[in-house]
Amino acid sequence: MTDPLIVGAMVRTLGAYPSGWRHPGAHADPRADAAILARIARLAEDADLDYLFFGDWLATGADLEFRDPYLLARIDPVSAVLYLAGLTRRIGLIATVNTTYADPYAIARASASLDVLTGGRGGINLVTGAEPRAAGNHGRDAHADNDTRYDRADEFVAVLRRLWESWDDAAWIADTEAGVLIDPHLLRPAAFEGAQLLVEGPLNVARPPQGHLPIVHAGTSSRSRALAAEHADLALIAGPDATAAKLARTQLRAAALVAGRDPDRLKVIATVLPVVAETDGAAHAIVERLLRLVPLDDGSGNGQRASFPPGRSLREFLTLAGVPEDHPARDRNVDDVVDAAASDLFAEPAARTLQIVQERTGRTVGGAEPVTWRHLVAAHAVPAAFLVGGPAAIADHFELWRDEGAADGFNVLSAFQPQQFEAFTRLAVPELRRRGLLGRDGATLRERLGIGAPRLLHPPVRAGAGGVRA
């Protein structure tokens, strides 16, 4: 029997789509994130999802208002999972850490503490950073190059694992009669000296219940794929379709085998952005509204703002589409152009944008519910791999990717919070469970992920074999 998929929620409180916060009833104030985080956590745990995942970004700026509003102001991910540790009982909690700027001892301490406090539900997502402004926020002149960042990331993983193994399971004796609390021989320093990191240790937190917390990584560079293949338990991908995702998964598993690992212990997780409603038509209407809410350079004054991104205007889109300056379409609605003519008229990628809009909104050129220029400009300027439909459509997608070997599971984004996440848990989750696609067992996050015990640097010492005993 095939195991259920790994399904987690990638939490962005202001929504994963840039106009999501404008949707009626959507959460739009990061100062109230505590309440929305608690609500999301309850929904996810009640739905029996495997984990909550928190990304990170180490800078902010006015330009993010239009590009990625959820990055403007957000709770530190380690703080978020520690906050939710006391509000949850079963679900895994994964926090992102930027290895370029973080202190490995502090991260080992916080992550081990999370694991102890939750009984083994902690995980850590390691990134090297793509935001150059982060350098100035951390006293650096410039963001390090890719190879330097990944050299440090490799050392960071090595340090974490040494620090997590500071205390052997048998180190704590706690013999009250003899007055012996620990076996000092089973407390190990990290004693790490690399080209980028120097850490002595040992860690002043008890051994994590999982031994090593599950490590997550995402990226497309050769160094990123190598780090995932050698060290990660979960590798995150963003394949545009099942064929591309299957190729990425196959390559990652092959690289893990070359690195001396069992490829079955590397789980490949695809990111998905479902827009869910009772029916396919209702889901299409949500996408259509999200597109209408995308700010454009349409004479409203947005285009004059210094932080407004370029390319969000009808003029830019028609130029991209290859529509000549004197073509009548420049002065007409898309509604007036029939499908075939529009397909012939538009050059790629504008023709593909038209196809996407029709598929995801249910609108058609010249139809009763017509496609407008605004739909096309918004869909091109703010692309998103929406998965749109009712419960059956969402489950069909999950099932197809599993059967095709395209992914071991999914990271679920929500276009806006909390309604869309509620819709996913209320509508899609029961159908996923009915088909056996959701519902994994395990008390710890490692057990739920099915990745087995960690590869320890120091095999555990059996009780009574240490150097000091009563």
Side-chain angles (χ1 to χ4, degrees), residues 7-301:
V7 181
M10 184 178 283
V11 181
R12 296 176 180 175
T13 56
L14 287 183
Y17 192 71
S19 65
W21 66 273
R22 299 184 66 191
H23 197 278
H27 176 68
D29 187 351
R31 294 169 297 183
D33 272 1
I36 203 72
L37 287 175
R39 188 170 179 179
I40 291 169
R42 284 194 296 271
L43 288 167
E45 192 157 69
D46 289 345
D48 200 26
L49 300 193
D50 296 308
Y51 59 80
L52 295 168
F53 177 100
F54 293 86
D56 202 13
W57 200 255
L58 296 181
T60 192
D63 58 299
L64 297 174
E65 176 184 357
F66 301 104
R67 179 165 60 89
D68 291 304
Y70 73 93
L71 295 176
L72 280 166
R74 60 190 301 176
I75 301 297
D76 165 70
V78 175
S79 300
V81 295
L82 288 170
Y83 166 65
L84 294 177
L87 300 179
T88 56
R89 293 292 177 267
R90 302 182 307 278
I91 197 164
L93 300 167
I94 301 175
T96 294
V97 170
N98 190 313
T99 60
T100 302
Y101 301 108
D103 175 79
Y105 188 92
I107 295 303
R109 191 178 188 215
S111 57
S113 298
L114 170 68
D115 213 44
V116 170
L117 291 170
T118 60
R121 295 188 285 122
I124 187 166
N125 175 46
L126 300 180
V127 301
T128 66
E131 169 57 84
R133 288 178 288 194
N137 292 340
H138 292 83
R140 314 274 182 93
D141 293 331
H143 195 47
D145 63 82
N146 192 66
D147 282 340
T148 299
R149 298 201 312 271
Y150 275 97
D151 287 344
R152 179 180 169 92
D154 285 333
E155 293 188 7
F156 206 102
V157 174
V159 171
L160 285 179
R161 287 176 168 162
R162 291 190 184 202
L163 289 172
W164 286 335
E165 292 190 35
S166 293
W167 293 96
D168 191 276
D169 279 338
W172 289 89
I173 299 169
D175 187 331
T176 56
E177 293 296 324
V180 177
L181 182 59
I182 67 168
D183 181 342
H185 296 89
L186 300 182
L187 174 60
R188 308 180 183 97
F192 184 89
E193 183 174 355
Q196 305 239 5
L197 297 174
L198 179 64
V199 180
E200 182 57 33
L203 190 65
N204 62 340
V205 178
R207 184 186 188 91
Q210 298 182 98
H212 296 173
L213 279 71
I215 291 176
V216 186
H217 186 62
T220 57
S221 72
S222 59
R223 286 298 303 273
S224 173
R225 289 194 297 269
L227 188 149
E230 186 173 352
H231 299 302
D233 299 294
L234 298 187
L236 307 185
I237 62 170
D241 52 52
T243 300
K246 181 177 181 179
L247 176 61
R249 180 173 179 265
T250 299
Q251 292 173 338
L252 284 164
R253 286 169 57 85
L257 185 62
V258 171
R261 298 180 60 191
D262 177 355
D264 288 337
R265 296 180 61 154
L266 173 61
K267 305 300 184 181
V268 178
I269 308 298
T271 300
V272 65
L273 178 50
V275 175
V276 192
E278 297 276 358
T279 65
D280 290 352
H284 288 149
I286 294 172
V287 174
E288 189 276 333
R289 187 164 199 165
L290 289 171
L291 291 177
R292 281 194 287 115
L293 292 173
V294 172
L296 301 178
D297 184 2
D298 55 4
S300 61

